[in-house]
Every structure is written in structure tokens, then in C-alpha cells.
Amino acid sequence: MFWQMVRGALLRQRGRFALIALTVALGVALASAMLDVLFDVGDKVNQELKAYGANITVTSKNASVLQDVYGIENAQVGGAGLMEESDLGKIKTIFWTNNIVAFAPELTGRVTLASGETVPVLGTWFSHTMVLPTGDSFTTGAQELKSWWQIDGTWPADGDAAGEVTDAGIAASDATVHEDEDVLVGTKLAAALGVAAGDTLDYTRPDGTKGRLHVTGIVTAGGETDELMIARLGFVQALDGLPGKVEKIEVSAVTTPENDLARKAAANPDRLSQKEREIWYCTAYVSSIAFQIEEAIPGAAAQPVRQIAESEGKILAKTELLMLLITVLSLLSAALGVSNLVSANIMERSREFGLMKALGATNVSVILMVLAEIFAAGLVGGVVGWGGGLVLARVIGETVFGASIAVNLAVLPLVAVLMSLVLLVGSLPAIRMLLALEPASVLHGR
């Protein structure tokens, strides 16, 4: 009898209950979309921020000490402050290898032009493919790491000759100078030299012979880079007489925003308890990734770029807060809509409920019947809203981040609980009306 009465009410009041289902569907769609984005926004924001540079800088411990204590740059100490290029592949052997998006080595030098002018040159990988110890290939370099650089022209080719493959699975760069070298020139240096993309510059090789530099592009990057010439790593190694050496490694890694534990570990990992150390080591904090890079590369000192790491955390926290606020507001709006619709339904059916009470129905049984009707409509709206939320999350992902948002099944039970709370909160005014309803007054039209 109970379910027959519920079904009859749903059929007679189908227009009203359809509006309740629609209200719930809209609220659930927006809430589920925001929660899906919330659970996946960390990786998406980190990936977006990785387009703006490295968040870990690796140097030799010797160079780090000399720089911090005495203010001496690598160029002043020669090979003593340098690392082995052959060790770079070890970066992709750490626990968080999949979080390493890109890295590029750097070595600074100077090249003497035919005019007698000496200009600074930075050697790096442009797009270098290495074979990892796992057998997988990994392509990295400035093209992946410095994607914000504006190139008027084209990127040079690395042109590295295949060298001896080390235990790390990477071939060292060809530390020789070729007949023609492709280079990028910073926009400020290009203006000073009066060159443009496609021009050539004559220079003097280390052996005193002449060579040509082919300018493939003019780079606008901001800062000191605009005043440099940028060439392949092997070319600068040959100019400096430092084959197989690198001065610095810039690493871009997807990280977890830092918290108190990460900051405590960054200050001194030895102060952590065993449990804290395990949690920190197995979480993708920028400090833990930097620590593991130091473990992998002998004599390396890896330092997080604090401005970038802290900015990532702040941006992500604000983004997550925005998602939560939108979720809460959408659910509150749905609750208010359900409340108004249910209250109007109770007022229309007051005589029906008065008659039920007069015939012996208790307040509990009447309330349960009304809640069953509301939850039946809410269930339909919830299912439709869940599907709509998946579509909306996909649209947000493609529009904002250029990638689809992952479907998180943990959102489903969370949305179900939130939907139930919305329906209960929205039903409270109606329940109060039912409790205050007097059969005699209603049946006599008062």
C-alpha cells in the first residue's frame, strides 16, 4: 500500500516532481564536475606551471659551497665545480622518475668572433634523446624545458654524435666544433651584433682556425638569456676544453604542494622521525625529489627553486578553494530550489495529508511517504546530473587545461551523500508543515 501511494503521487504530481529532479540534476552536475576537477586539478595546474621553467636546479656540491660561502662562480674554478654529463640519465632512475617532465644541462663559455669581439655562449641540449637503463627512450632538452621562449626562426638541431653509452644509458655529447655551428642568439645580443635569423657569423676555433656560426633563430626569453648566444652542449664543451662536463642541470618536475612536513624536511631531513621520513620520501614534494636526485648523481647538490615551488602551492590552494566554493554554492542553490518546490507540493496536497492523518496515519508514516517521493525524484535527477557532470568536467578540462579530466570514482559516493543532504535539507520546511498540519482544520477548509 505504501509504495502504491508513493507511485500514485509521483504520477499525479509528475510535473512538480520533474522540476525537483531537474533542480537536483543541475546541482549535482555542477557539484560533480567541480569535484572531478578538484581531484585532478593538482596535476593539471602543475603541468601548466611546468611550461614556465625548472623548479629544481642541480649543481656540483663543490660549486655550491664555493658559490654560497665565497661567491665564486663555476667559471672561476674550472672543472672542479662541474659534473659529468654521463650522469644525467640517472635523474630518470629515481623513485619519482615519472614526475620528471624535462631537464637540460648547461655549460657557459665564451666565443671569439672574427671581429675580435668575445660574446658569452651557453651550451645545452636542444632536443636530446637518451636510452634509459629500463630500455625506454626519453627526449628532453631546452625545447621541452623552455617552452615559453619565443623563437624568431627555428630551433637548432643538437647534432650530437653517438658516443659511448655509459651505465646510465646516455651517450655523451660530441665535444667537438663542426665546420658550421647552428646557434640561437638572444634578442639583446642580436641587436648589438646586428644579426637576424638566417645570418652567419665568423668565429675563431680553439685551434686558431676560422669557423661559421649559423643563426637559426633569435630568442626572446627575458633576463640574462637575451644577452647570450645559445649553442649545442658539445660545442661549448670543446670551446672550454671540458669534454663530457656540465655546469648546471635544470629540472622540471611535477610536484605536490609543500606543507609543514615538507618544509621541516627541507630545513633538515635528519630531524624527521622514521615515519615522517617515509611519508616525505614517498610523496612528490619538490624537496624529496631534489633529495633523491642528490642520491642518484654523485657529488650533486639539488636545490628547489623556492619561488616556483611556493607559487605552485598558493595557486593550487586558491584553485581548490574556488572549486569547493562553487560546489557548496551549487548545492545550497539546489537545496533552496528543492525546498520551495516541496513546500508548494505540500500546500497543494494539504487536504490529502489531512485526510490520511484523520484516517489514522501517523506523522512518521506521512513524512516517510513524502521523503520517499522526494528521494525517488532526486535519484532520477542525481543520475542525470552525474552524467551531465562528467560531460561538464570534460568540457572544463579541454577548455581550460587542454586535456580531459580523469573520471574519479571516489566522487560518485561523495556526490550521493551530498545529494541526500541536499534533499533532506530541502525537505525540512515541508516536514515542519506536515508536523503542524491539523486534520480537522484542513478538512474544514481552514
Side-chain angles (χ1 to χ4, degrees), residues 48-399:
E48 289 291 321
L49 291 174
K50 291 304 155 289
Y52 298 98
N55 52 359
I56 299 174
T57 300
V58 185
T59 58
S60 165
K61 285 183 179 178
N62 292 337
S64 179
V65 171
L66 291 172
Q67 170 66 24
D68 294 341
V69 178
Y70 302 104
I72 299 176
E73 300 291 345
N74 278 338
Q76 298 173 262
V77 296
L82 302 179
M83 297 174 289
E84 297 293 334
E85 181 188 358
S86 57
D87 286 333
L88 266 65
K90 295 177 181 178
I91 293 176
K92 288 292 288 183
T93 65
I94 66 172
F95 179 80
W96 290 107
T97 180
N98 292 330
N99 287 55
I100 303 297
V101 178
F103 59 86
E106 294 183 358
L107 181 66
T108 57
R110 303 188 73 83
V111 60
T112 302
L113 302 179
S115 62
E117 185 176 1
T118 301
V119 298
V121 60
L122 175 69
T124 188
W125 290 345
F126 293 113
S127 183
H128 186 95
T129 300
M130 65 178 69
V131 179
L132 303 177
T134 59
D136 298 327
S137 61
F138 179 67
T139 301
T140 186
Q143 284 186 245
E144 286 75 24
L145 190 66
K146 312 285 188 178
S147 58
W148 80 92
W149 280 6
Q150 298 178 21
I151 307 295
D152 180 13
T154 60
W155 284 89
D158 269 321
D160 290 340
E164 180 183 355
V165 178
T166 67
D167 292 338
I170 172 176
S173 297
D174 178 18
T176 59
V177 290
H178 300 160
E179 182 177 352
D180 289 323
E181 289 288 346
D182 291 342
V183 297
L184 294 174
V185 179
T187 181
K188 292 182 180 179
L189 180 59
L193 296 176
V195 298
D199 291 347
T200 59
L201 292 168
D202 293 329
Y203 75 102
T204 303
R205 298 191 182 101
D207 60 5
T209 60
K210 301 296 182 180
R212 288 189 304 272
L213 299 174
H214 178 234
V215 181
T216 64
I218 306 300
V219 58
T220 302
E224 296 179 356
T225 304
D226 290 348
E227 301 174 2
L228 300 174
M229 183 178 292
I230 305 164
R232 65 182 181 88
L233 180 62
F235 172 66
V236 178
Q237 288 172 340
L239 286 179
D240 291 349
L242 297 169
K245 301 292 184 179
V246 297
E247 179 180 337
K248 182 172 68 172
I249 311 166
E250 290 193 336
V251 181
S252 177
V254 176
T255 60
T256 297
E258 293 199 324
N259 54 16
D260 291 338
L261 174 61
R263 285 185 282 270
K264 180 179 178 181
N268 186 357
D270 295 333
R271 293 172 52 194
L272 300 178
S273 65
Q274 182 64 31
K275 183 177 180 180
E276 287 176 331
R277 188 180 181 86
E278 290 176 357
I279 295 173
W280 169 70
Y281 195 88
C282 295
T283 305
Y285 299 123
V286 66
S287 56
S288 64
I289 293 178
F291 181 80
Q292 291 173 35
I293 290 175
E294 289 184 353
E295 290 182 321
I297 300 180
Q303 297 295 329
V305 181
R306 287 294 167 191
Q307 296 91 333
I308 295 179
E310 291 174 3
S311 296
E312 289 174 359
K314 291 178 182 178
I315 293 172
L316 184 57
K318 291 178 181 180
T319 304
E320 290 177 343
L321 179 60
L322 177 62
M323 298 295 105
L324 285 174
L325 287 175
I326 294 174
T327 301
V328 171
L329 290 175
S330 66
L331 293 174
L332 286 176
S333 299
L336 289 174
V338 169
S339 176
N340 291 332
L341 291 169
V342 173
S343 297
N345 180 264
I346 296 301
M347 293 176 65
E348 289 180 3
R349 299 167 62 193
S350 59
R351 286 176 176 260
E352 175 186 342
F353 294 126
L355 180 60
M356 291 174 60
K357 283 190 174 185
L359 294 175
T362 63
N363 283 331
V364 173
S365 61
V366 174
I367 290 172
L368 287 177
M369 188 183 76
V370 171
L371 289 177
E373 297 168 2
I374 296 170
F375 271 81
L379 180 61
V380 174
V383 172
V384 174
W386 167 253
L390 294 179
V391 175
L392 181 58
R394 184 179 183 85
V395 171
I396 292 173
E398 295 290 348
T399 303

Side-chain angles (χ1 to χ4, degrees), residues 412-423:
L412 183 57
L414 183 58
V415 168
V417 171
L418 293 174
M419 182 194 72
S420 300
L421 290 175
V422 166
L423 294 175

Side-chain angles (χ1 to χ4, degrees), residues 435-446:
L435 292 174
L437 189 147
E438 294 293 339
S441 299
V442 173
L443 292 177
H444 282 86
R446 296 196 295 271

